[in-house]
Amino acid sequence: MIRVLVTDGMEKSAVKELRAKGFEVVEKFYNPEILGEKLREFDVIVVRSATKIRKPIIDIAAQTGKLKIIIRGGVGVDNIDVSYAKEKGIKVANTPNASSASVAELVLAHMFAVSRFVNISNVSMRQGKWDKKKYVGVEICGKILGLVGYGRISRQLAKKASALGMKVIYTDILGKAKDTDEYEFCELNNLLKRSDYVSLHIPFIKGKGVTIGKEQLDMMKNGAYLINCARGGVVDEVALVEALNNGKLAGAGVDVFVEEPTKNEALVNHPKVSVTPHIGAATKEAQVRIGNEIISIICDFFK
């Protein structure tokens, strides 16, 4: 029987369906020290973002040759040493389509929150304050949204933002998209200088460093907003707090952090910041889609 280890949770209906199809599914989180040994007993591992599968774990897991595929339930695979796994004959797959709409909607939620002080007024009212005159916000309609990275999530966000009356511009490491002329392509520095809102949709590449640091933040419009629902490591959190403190940025929406769970109280408690605990894909609809996509990946691989 093909054995599947699910370490970070999975939609219950998907687990039930896998079992009905004859797969043995074990739902359990293992600490890194023992994960490699446990993986010697499984054909498949399904992870989210909590489990990190690095070279030492892969080395131990590959000793028996039983582990055939690592599946990331989500878009990014930066918590997996992908190239090394492939060198060891282990396939790596993800579910890039399932959570695009959910993440795009969360970006918009953060944009609305910081634009209209939903984040901080929610807190102040619970403290008995009525700061009506203090919270004069801005409308997003008519503003420029700059997308850094133009993948599946960006494309979803572009459509939604455009429908709300925003002008969308984008940049991407691959250059101008060949399949659309609907939005304007520009280089990163130009995008940063022009955008009222900058939303990040790029992976964190270990060893490459941040994409948005002090230099990039200084380029942005005075009073602009930065939204990061991509990966924590792509933004210099210290530089971000500084830009919020000195008034360079009017606000920020942050769903992902350099360290998770984050200990950065200066960022989390900042009155200009809307924060969420890495919940971009955490909708019921997305979890069902992710589960279905994982089932398809496993069934196609072992058919």
Side-chain angles (χ1 to χ4, degrees), residues 48-49 72-80 93-96 153 203 230-231:
R48 294 298 300 273
S49 47
R72 160 76 160 96
V75 180
V77 289
D78 46 279
N79 55 323
I80 303 166
N94 63 346
T95 60
I153 296 170
R231 284 291 179 267

Side-chain angles (χ1 to χ4, degrees), residues 154-184:
S154 268
R155 289 167 185 254
Q156 288 267 355
L157 178 57
K159 291 178 183 178
K160 298 175 190 300
S162 182
L164 290 167
M166 301 191 80
K167 174 181 172 60
V168 177
I169 62 178
Y170 73 96
T171 190
D172 193 89
I173 193 171
L174 299 177
K176 186 178 185 299
K178 296 179 180 179
D179 58 349
T180 181
D181 291 319
E182 192 173 354
Y183 312 113
E184 179 187 348

Side-chain angles (χ1 to χ4, degrees), residues 295-303:
I295 291 170
S296 295
I297 292 169
I298 293 173
C299 290
D300 289 346
F301 185 84
F302 291 102
K303 67 181 179 182

Side-chain angles (χ1 to χ4, degrees), residues 10-11 14 48 72-74 95 98-99 281 285-295:
M10 193 164 109
E11 174 64 29
R48 294 298 300 273
R72 160 76 160 96
T95 60
S99 58
E285 295 86 349
Q287 294 310 303
V288 170
R289 290 193 295 266
I290 289 170
N292 290 338
E293 202 165 337
I294 290 171
I295 291 170

Side-chain angles (χ1 to χ4, degrees), residues 57-268:
I57 291 173
I58 294 170
D59 279 334
I60 298 171
Q63 288 174 0
T64 60
K66 186 171 178 61
L67 185 65
K68 303 293 192 305
I69 181 169
I70 301 167
I71 303 174
R72 160 76 160 96
V75 180
V77 289
D78 46 279
N79 55 323
I80 303 166
D81 285 337
V82 178
S83 297
Y84 193 71
K86 290 179 179 178
E87 285 177 19
K88 294 292 184 177
I90 302 169
K91 178 177 173 147
V92 178
N94 63 346
T95 60
N97 301 305
S99 58
S100 298
S102 297
V103 178
E105 287 188 4
L106 183 63
V107 172
L108 286 175
H110 279 299
M111 287 169 60
F112 279 119
V114 292
S115 299
R116 297 303 304 272
F117 299 100
V118 177
N119 58 321
I120 191 63
S121 63
N122 189 276
V123 174
S124 65
M125 284 194 68
R126 293 168 192 267
Q127 297 170 342
K129 299 176 184 178
W130 187 264
D131 293 329
K132 180 177 179 178
K133 293 182 180 180
K134 185 177 180 181
Y135 300 133
V136 179
V138 296
E139 298 174 0
I140 69 171
C141 181
K143 302 300 192 299
I144 298 175
L145 170 62
L147 304 174
V148 181
Y150 194 60
R152 293 175 178 86
I153 296 170
S154 268
R155 289 167 185 254
Q156 288 267 355
L157 178 57
K159 291 178 183 178
K160 298 175 190 300
S162 182
L164 290 167
M166 301 191 80
K167 174 181 172 60
V168 177
I169 62 178
Y170 73 96
T171 190
D172 193 89
I173 193 171
L174 299 177
K176 186 178 185 299
K178 296 179 180 179
D179 58 349
T180 181
D181 291 319
E182 192 173 354
Y183 312 113
E184 179 187 348
F185 171 81
C186 56
E187 298 300 329
L188 175 61
N189 290 356
N190 185 25
L191 179 145
L192 293 173
K193 292 173 183 177
R194 294 171 56 192
S195 300
D196 300 294
Y197 296 80
V198 173
S199 182
L200 306 179
H201 302 276
I202 47 179
F204 172 68
I205 302 173
K206 192 175 181 181
K208 183 180 178 182
V210 299
T211 299
I212 304 296
K214 186 179 187 306
E215 181 182 352
Q216 290 73 32
L217 291 168
D218 286 344
M219 289 183 194
M220 292 176 65
K221 277 184 177 182
N222 292 331
Y225 299 85
L226 179 69
I227 312 295
N228 185 16
C229 293
R231 284 291 179 267
V234 301
V235 175
D236 182 333
E237 291 181 352
V238 174
L240 175 57
V241 171
E242 181 183 339
L244 292 163
N245 286 338
N246 64 28
K248 176 65 180 180
L249 295 185
V254 186
D255 183 52
V256 287
F257 303 85
V258 173
E259 180 185 9
E260 294 184 356
T262 183
K263 297 182 180 67
N264 191 340
E265 294 185 6
L267 180 60
V268 170

Side-chain angles (χ1 to χ4, degrees), residues 13-34:
S13 61
V15 173
K16 185 177 180 180
E17 186 170 343
L18 277 175
R19 286 172 176 159
K21 289 179 179 293
F23 296 95
E24 180 185 348
V25 182
V26 176
E27 299 178 87
K28 188 169 183 179
F29 178 83
Y30 289 104
N31 290 321
E33 309 86 67
I34 61 173

